[in-house]
PDB file of all heavy atoms in Angstrom:
ATOM      1  N   TYR A 125      13.048  -7.008 -11.690  1.00  0.00           N
ATOM      2  CA  TYR A 125      12.453  -6.148 -12.752  1.00  0.00           C
ATOM      3  C   TYR A 125      12.754  -4.688 -12.398  1.00  0.00           C
ATOM      4  O   TYR A 125      12.057  -3.808 -12.927  1.00  0.00           O
ATOM      5  CB  TYR A 125      10.964  -6.485 -12.794  1.00  0.00           C
ATOM      6  CG  TYR A 125      10.719  -7.961 -13.175  1.00  0.00           C
ATOM      7  CD1 TYR A 125      10.284  -8.781 -12.231  1.00  0.00           C
ATOM      8  CD2 TYR A 125      11.023  -8.353 -14.455  1.00  0.00           C
ATOM      9  CE1 TYR A 125      10.116 -10.111 -12.536  1.00  0.00           C
ATOM     10  CE2 TYR A 125      10.877  -9.729 -14.735  1.00  0.00           C
ATOM     11  CZ  TYR A 125      10.424 -10.619 -13.825  1.00  0.00           C
ATOM     12  OH  TYR A 125      10.284 -11.927 -14.091  1.00  0.00           O
ATOM     13  N   ALA A 126      13.619  -4.413 -11.491  1.00  0.00           N
ATOM     14  CA  ALA A 126      13.865  -2.975 -11.090  1.00  0.00           C
ATOM     15  C   ALA A 126      15.039  -2.356 -11.869  1.00  0.00           C
ATOM     16  O   ALA A 126      15.400  -1.265 -11.558  1.00  0.00           O
ATOM     17  CB  ALA A 126      14.112  -2.925  -9.615  1.00  0.00           C
ATOM     18  N   GLY A 127      15.595  -3.122 -12.766  1.00  0.00           N
ATOM     19  CA  GLY A 127      16.606  -2.517 -13.676  1.00  0.00           C
ATOM     20  C   GLY A 127      18.047  -2.590 -13.152  1.00  0.00           C
ATOM     21  O   GLY A 127      18.877  -1.756 -13.550  1.00  0.00           O
ATOM     22  N   PHE A 128      18.285  -3.450 -12.170  1.00  0.00           N
ATOM     23  CA  PHE A 128      19.656  -3.566 -11.648  1.00  0.00           C
ATOM     24  C   PHE A 128      20.451  -4.677 -12.337  1.00  0.00           C
ATOM     25  O   PHE A 128      19.871  -5.634 -12.731  1.00  0.00           O
ATOM     26  CB  PHE A 128      19.620  -3.825 -10.163  1.00  0.00           C
ATOM     27  CG  PHE A 128      18.930  -2.738  -9.323  1.00  0.00           C
ATOM     28  CD1 PHE A 128      17.746  -2.951  -8.682  1.00  0.00           C
ATOM     29  CD2 PHE A 128      19.487  -1.493  -9.264  1.00  0.00           C
ATOM     30  CE1 PHE A 128      17.074  -1.996  -7.990  1.00  0.00           C
ATOM     31  CE2 PHE A 128      18.889  -0.468  -8.535  1.00  0.00           C
ATOM     32  CZ  PHE A 128      17.655  -0.734  -7.880  1.00  0.00           C
ATOM     33  N   THR A 129      21.739  -4.547 -12.392  1.00  0.00           N
ATOM     34  CA  THR A 129      22.609  -5.613 -12.862  1.00  0.00           C
ATOM     35  C   THR A 129      22.660  -6.770 -11.822  1.00  0.00           C
ATOM     36  O   THR A 129      22.372  -6.484 -10.656  1.00  0.00           O
ATOM     37  CB  THR A 129      24.080  -5.132 -13.102  1.00  0.00           C
ATOM     38  OG1 THR A 129      24.621  -4.737 -11.788  1.00  0.00           O
ATOM     39  CG2 THR A 129      24.079  -3.921 -14.006  1.00  0.00           C
ATOM     40  N   PRO A 130      23.020  -7.976 -12.203  1.00  0.00           N
ATOM     41  CA  PRO A 130      23.170  -9.008 -11.227  1.00  0.00           C
ATOM     42  C   PRO A 130      24.015  -8.646 -10.061  1.00  0.00           C
ATOM     43  O   PRO A 130      23.759  -8.971  -8.944  1.00  0.00           O
ATOM     44  CB  PRO A 130      23.776 -10.151 -12.053  1.00  0.00           C
ATOM     45  CG  PRO A 130      23.320  -9.882 -13.473  1.00  0.00           C
ATOM     46  CD  PRO A 130      23.308  -8.391 -13.612  1.00  0.00           C
ATOM     47  N   LYS A 131      25.139  -7.954 -10.328  1.00  0.00           N
ATOM     48  CA  LYS A 131      26.122  -7.498  -9.218  1.00  0.00           C
ATOM     49  C   LYS A 131      25.380  -6.559  -8.319  1.00  0.00           C
ATOM     50  O   LYS A 131      25.475  -6.657  -7.124  1.00  0.00           O
ATOM     51  CB  LYS A 131      27.313  -6.865  -9.845  1.00  0.00           C
ATOM     52  CG  LYS A 131      28.388  -6.405  -8.949  1.00  0.00           C
ATOM     53  CD  LYS A 131      29.695  -6.107  -9.646  1.00  0.00           C
ATOM     54  CE  LYS A 131      30.754  -5.617  -8.755  1.00  0.00           C
ATOM     55  NZ  LYS A 131      30.529  -4.185  -8.346  1.00  0.00           N
ATOM     56  N   GLU A 132      24.662  -5.593  -8.887  1.00  0.00           N
ATOM     57  CA  GLU A 132      23.919  -4.672  -8.059  1.00  0.00           C
ATOM     58  C   GLU A 132      22.794  -5.379  -7.249  1.00  0.00           C
ATOM     59  O   GLU A 132      22.608  -5.056  -6.036  1.00  0.00           O
ATOM     60  CB  GLU A 132      23.251  -3.584  -8.920  1.00  0.00           C
ATOM     61  CG  GLU A 132      24.222  -2.569  -9.461  1.00  0.00           C
ATOM     62  CD  GLU A 132      23.565  -1.681 -10.593  1.00  0.00           C
ATOM     63  OE1 GLU A 132      22.612  -2.070 -11.235  1.00  0.00           O
ATOM     64  OE2 GLU A 132      24.077  -0.518 -10.760  1.00  0.00           O
ATOM     65  N   ARG A 133      22.178  -6.397  -7.877  1.00  0.00           N
ATOM     66  CA  ARG A 133      21.117  -7.146  -7.112  1.00  0.00           C
ATOM     67  C   ARG A 133      21.798  -7.820  -5.897  1.00  0.00           C
ATOM     68  O   ARG A 133      21.176  -7.847  -4.861  1.00  0.00           O
ATOM     69  CB  ARG A 133      20.453  -8.119  -8.043  1.00  0.00           C
ATOM     70  CG  ARG A 133      19.622  -7.484  -9.132  1.00  0.00           C
ATOM     71  CD  ARG A 133      18.521  -8.476  -9.646  1.00  0.00           C
ATOM     72  NE  ARG A 133      19.034  -9.560 -10.443  1.00  0.00           N
ATOM     73  CZ  ARG A 133      19.252  -9.546 -11.739  1.00  0.00           C
ATOM     74  NH1 ARG A 133      19.014  -8.432 -12.452  1.00  0.00           N
ATOM     75  NH2 ARG A 133      19.748 -10.595 -12.341  1.00  0.00           N
ATOM     76  N   ARG A 134      22.886  -8.396  -6.138  1.00  0.00           N
ATOM     77  CA  ARG A 134      23.585  -9.161  -5.028  1.00  0.00           C
ATOM     78  C   ARG A 134      23.984  -8.148  -3.905  1.00  0.00           C
ATOM     79  O   ARG A 134      23.672  -8.380  -2.741  1.00  0.00           O
ATOM     80  CB  ARG A 134      24.810  -9.897  -5.588  1.00  0.00           C
ATOM     81  CG  ARG A 134      25.718 -10.565  -4.519  1.00  0.00           C
ATOM     82  CD  ARG A 134      24.994 -11.548  -3.649  1.00  0.00           C
ATOM     83  NE  ARG A 134      24.283 -12.534  -4.369  1.00  0.00           N
ATOM     84  CZ  ARG A 134      24.682 -13.771  -4.561  1.00  0.00           C
ATOM     85  NH1 ARG A 134      25.853 -14.168  -4.147  1.00  0.00           N
ATOM     86  NH2 ARG A 134      23.904 -14.670  -5.194  1.00  0.00           N
ATOM     87  N   GLU A 135      24.533  -7.053  -4.284  1.00  0.00           N
ATOM     88  CA  GLU A 135      24.992  -6.048  -3.319  1.00  0.00           C
ATOM     89  C   GLU A 135      23.751  -5.494  -2.522  1.00  0.00           C
ATOM     90  O   GLU A 135      23.810  -5.314  -1.340  1.00  0.00           O
ATOM     91  CB  GLU A 135      25.754  -4.887  -3.977  1.00  0.00           C
ATOM     92  CG  GLU A 135      27.123  -5.245  -4.411  1.00  0.00           C
ATOM     93  CD  GLU A 135      27.771  -4.298  -5.400  1.00  0.00           C
ATOM     94  OE1 GLU A 135      27.104  -3.269  -5.731  1.00  0.00           O
ATOM     95  OE2 GLU A 135      28.919  -4.505  -5.770  1.00  0.00           O
ATOM     96  N   ARG A 136      22.713  -5.153  -3.293  1.00  0.00           N
ATOM     97  CA  ARG A 136      21.527  -4.612  -2.640  1.00  0.00           C
ATOM     98  C   ARG A 136      20.883  -5.604  -1.731  1.00  0.00           C
ATOM     99  O   ARG A 136      20.347  -5.288  -0.651  1.00  0.00           O
ATOM    100  CB  ARG A 136      20.487  -4.112  -3.667  1.00  0.00           C
ATOM    101  CG  ARG A 136      20.915  -2.755  -4.265  1.00  0.00           C
ATOM    102  CD  ARG A 136      19.898  -2.265  -5.259  1.00  0.00           C
ATOM    103  NE  ARG A 136      20.208  -0.880  -5.612  1.00  0.00           N
ATOM    104  CZ  ARG A 136      19.672   0.204  -5.025  1.00  0.00           C
ATOM    105  NH1 ARG A 136      18.776   0.089  -4.079  1.00  0.00           N
ATOM    106  NH2 ARG A 136      20.023   1.389  -5.414  1.00  0.00           N
ATOM    107  N   ALA A 137      20.827  -6.889  -2.107  1.00  0.00           N
ATOM    108  CA  ALA A 137      20.189  -7.984  -1.345  1.00  0.00           C
ATOM    109  C   ALA A 137      21.006  -8.106   0.034  1.00  0.00           C
ATOM    110  O   ALA A 137      20.372  -8.091   1.049  1.00  0.00           O
ATOM    111  CB  ALA A 137      20.173  -9.270  -2.085  1.00  0.00           C
TER     112      ALA A 137
END
Side-chain angles (χ1 to χ4, degrees):
Y125 303 104
F128 299 112
T129 65
K131 182 165 177 284
E132 286 168 334
R133 291 202 292 272
R134 173 58 52 101
E135 286 166 0
R136 280 180 172 269

